[in-house]
Amino acid sequence: MPAPRFFAREEFFGWLLFDPRTHQYVVPVTSAAICAFRRVIEDGDLPLADELPGDDRDHAADIARWLRDNDCIPGSIRISCRAPKPGMLSAPLNVYFDFTSICNLACTMCYDEPKRAGTKRSSELTVAEIDGVFAQLGEMGVFRVDLAGGEPTLLPDVLEAYLAAADKHHISVSMTTNGTRLSYDLSRRILGHGLKTVTVSIDGHDAGMNDRVRGAGAFEKAVLGLQNLLTAKRDLGSDTVIAIKNTFRPTITAEEIGGFVELGRSLGVDKVKFNSMRPSGEAAADRELISAVPAYYAALREMKRLADLSDDVEISGPVNPATCFGGRISHLTDWGCVAGKELMTIDSIGNVRPCSMMNDFVVGNVRSNSLREIYFNSRINSLRNVEKAECSSCSAFMTCRGGCRVRSQAAGDFFAKDPLCPKDAGQDMVHAAERARPFQYLGLPHSL
């Protein structure tokens, strides 16, 4: 059966749509847009501009035009879930779902012990169990999954079965790989599944920098794998976004940032990503990750400056809507860190955590409980509406979303203020646009 034009799930603020063409969620922002979605989905009616509430006729015309131009019409939308919850999402927006812990590298900042050891966990999920997880996600209205590992390309047959299961349930997948095992043939097989993004992790613009983190010879192998991937993309006419990602320390210099962007440009990738290293796993004792505040924000400003200047390659930085990159759901209040709310992680043996970096915060296992039960009825609830969090009364809370719980834990208190708080660092806050757009496409900056 072909995929519908949109998938929908009902939330307390109205309907949330997933667009499989763009791999993005769409949220109605204004009352007129919410009304329009409701009429299309519930009443089977395509409203005209003059039938929508409000006095702004230009705004109503924008809504009617969007519905028409995007084929958001009666009969084009499949309802996945209709279980709204007051003031909160009825399911995550995004899930990190790994199928193996095996890895052929030993990165110095890796957050997961089995991955650092390069060993396979016993009793990893079977292909049938993976398919069952995807079925649950589809029923909950979760249509974005990020795959990392371990290194997924070490088990190519399992990887293809994983991607086929995602295809069957209309789940959009993005994948991160170290690139060292990407042959041309495997690249074609992977891209044939229409992934949203394939990201190759490279931690520096040359072999000297990268291989200090990822091991001798890793840079050369990753670049070769990336070239195979790009060639396969061209040959297939694929629209999958090909990216490189640098997991950076806060003291990364402007020269290193610029060099990495130029590496991406010279290789011909679509996107260059910068992901801030977290104090978890091997890097848990690295105090600079939570203390080098001026250097961190200087790095973010340089990334944003280059992103604004670049017209040939997209540049993205870490989650920090208050200062640079990001953008959240305007209907949500007192939401804080996205872990366990917009995001959940499932590892290769089925353990569920709010975030992949929260190694000790296991909230359930998919072999024992359904994902819906874990999301609503586990200690994951302790992350929601935390009254003792210093950020909850801050005037910038709705902009910065409360910061990173992993960094707070490293600073001594899981629910304390993020030690890299942008307001404390004197950063200018980003304010909402004066005129709200009727529909908001969610970029999910926490995704891989």
Side-chain angles (χ1 to χ4, degrees):
M1 179 185 299
R5 178 64 187 90
F6 292 97
F7 295 90
R9 76 186 205 208
E10 190 177 18
E11 301 290 354
F12 70 92
F13 51 79
W15 289 94
L16 172 72
L17 298 190
F18 181 75
D19 182 350
R21 293 183 186 173
T22 63
H23 307 272
Q24 289 181 295
Y25 291 99
V26 185
V27 179
V29 176
T30 64
S31 59
I34 292 170
C35 174
F37 268 7
R38 183 176 293 117
R39 286 185 56 172
V40 171
I41 297 172
E42 298 180 28
D43 301 335
D45 177 33
L46 185 62
L48 300 174
D50 59 6
E51 298 174 328
L52 294 172
D55 298 325
D56 189 337
R57 293 298 91 196
D58 289 340
H59 181 72
D62 287 344
I63 295 171
R65 186 181 305 110
W66 188 94
L67 295 173
R68 183 182 65 251
D69 291 349
N70 289 277
D71 299 322
C72 187
I73 58 178
S76 69
I77 301 169
R78 181 184 301 173
I79 297 175
S80 297
C81 181
R82 194 162 191 173
K85 302 294 180 182
M88 65 176 295
L89 292 175
S90 64
L93 298 176
N94 205 48
V95 169
Y96 294 172
F97 182 18
D98 300 335
F99 67 77
T100 187
S101 61
I102 301 174
C103 190
N104 58 321
L105 300 182
C107 302
T108 59
M109 75 298 192
C110 185
Y111 58 86
D112 194 1
E113 179 59 42
K115 297 175 187 178
R116 296 198 302 274
T119 57
K120 184 177 185 293
R121 286 182 171 101
S122 60
S123 303
E124 293 196 327
L125 295 175
T126 66
V127 171
E129 287 174 317
I130 290 170
D131 182 83
V133 170
F134 279 123
Q136 289 186 58
L137 292 174
E139 291 168 0
M140 294 172 69
V142 181
F143 292 101
R144 284 279 300 269
V145 163
D146 290 315
L147 166 64
E151 173 48 46
T153 61
L154 294 176
L155 300 173
D157 292 340
V158 181
L159 172 57
E160 278 218 273
Y162 177 104
L163 296 176
D167 291 344
K168 184 172 73 172
H169 298 288
H170 307 293
I171 308 291
S172 173
V173 176
S174 291
M175 179 179 121
T176 297
T177 170
N178 62 40
T180 61
R181 298 297 183 95
L182 278 175
S183 66
Y184 174 76
D185 177 66
L186 180 56
S187 297
R188 284 184 64 100
R189 291 163 62 186
I190 292 170
L191 293 175
H193 289 276
L195 283 79
K196 176 184 184 292
T197 305
V198 177
T199 299
V200 177
S201 294
I202 301 177
D203 291 319
H205 62 267
D206 60 26
M209 297 180 64
N210 177 82
D211 292 359
R212 282 196 296 272
V213 175
R214 295 185 165 264
F219 182 83
E220 182 179 356
K221 293 176 182 176
V223 168
L224 178 60
L226 184 59
Q227 290 169 336
N228 288 331
L229 186 65
L230 289 165
T231 300
K233 174 179 175 172
R234 287 192 296 269
D235 291 349
L236 290 172
S238 167
D239 61 1
T240 294
V241 173
I242 307 299
I244 57 172
K245 179 178 68 176
N246 185 326
T247 301
F248 70 94
R249 303 184 80 255
T251 50
I252 188 173
T253 66
E255 291 75 19
E256 291 167 343
I257 294 168
F260 193 70
V261 171
E262 287 307 313
L263 173 66
R265 187 171 281 125
S266 67
L267 291 170
V269 302
D270 304 301
K271 188 171 185 176
V272 173
K273 302 179 181 180
F274 291 93
N275 181 41
S276 56
M277 192 182 300
R278 300 298 203 282
S280 177
E282 193 73 10
D286 190 343
R287 307 308 293 175
E288 191 175 63
L289 300 181
I290 60 174
S291 63
V293 181
Y296 175 75
Y297 283 103
L300 261 60
R301 286 193 295 272
E302 179 63 10
M303 294 169 195
K304 184 63 165 59
R305 185 185 74 83
L306 294 177
D308 290 341
L309 292 173
S310 180
D311 58 5
D312 58 343
V313 61
E314 183 181 353
I315 301 170
S316 70
V319 180
N320 205 323
T323 56
C324 297
F325 307 94
R328 314 300 334 123
I329 302 177
S330 57
H331 301 289
L332 297 172
T333 60
D334 298 326
W335 202 235
C337 174
V338 298
K341 304 160 191 175
E342 294 180 29
L343 174 68
M344 287 201 307
T345 294
I346 307 169
D347 69 17
S348 62
I349 58 173
N351 283 335
V352 180
R353 300 192 301 278
C355 165
S356 56
M357 300 290 175
M358 295 180 179
N359 292 325
D360 301 324
F361 205 106
V362 177
V363 296
N365 188 285
V366 297
R367 285 171 166 152
S368 305
N369 304 97
S370 71
L371 285 173
R372 192 185 303 276
E373 183 179 4
I374 293 171
Y375 185 68
F376 288 116
N377 301 311
S378 71
R379 70 185 184 116
I380 207 168
N381 284 312
S382 66
L383 300 178
R384 298 175 182 145
N385 300 318
V386 180
E387 294 181 1
K388 65 181 276 189
E390 297 174 61
C391 297
S392 61
S393 61
C394 174
S395 62
F397 180 78
M398 284 302 297
T399 306
C400 83
R401 312 303 292 176
C404 173
R405 298 300 91 206
V406 173
R407 287 197 293 253
S408 294
Q409 184 179 37
D413 184 345
F414 194 78
F415 296 111
K417 184 189 301 182
D418 186 338
L420 298 187
C421 169
K423 193 170 184 183
D424 283 355
Q427 301 301 302
D428 292 334
M429 299 296 111
V430 174
H431 300 287
E434 291 184 7
R435 184 177 187 273
R437 292 175 297 176
F439 304 111
Q440 178 183 9
Y441 276 85
L442 301 181
L444 300 184
H446 49 80
S447 61
L448 295 177

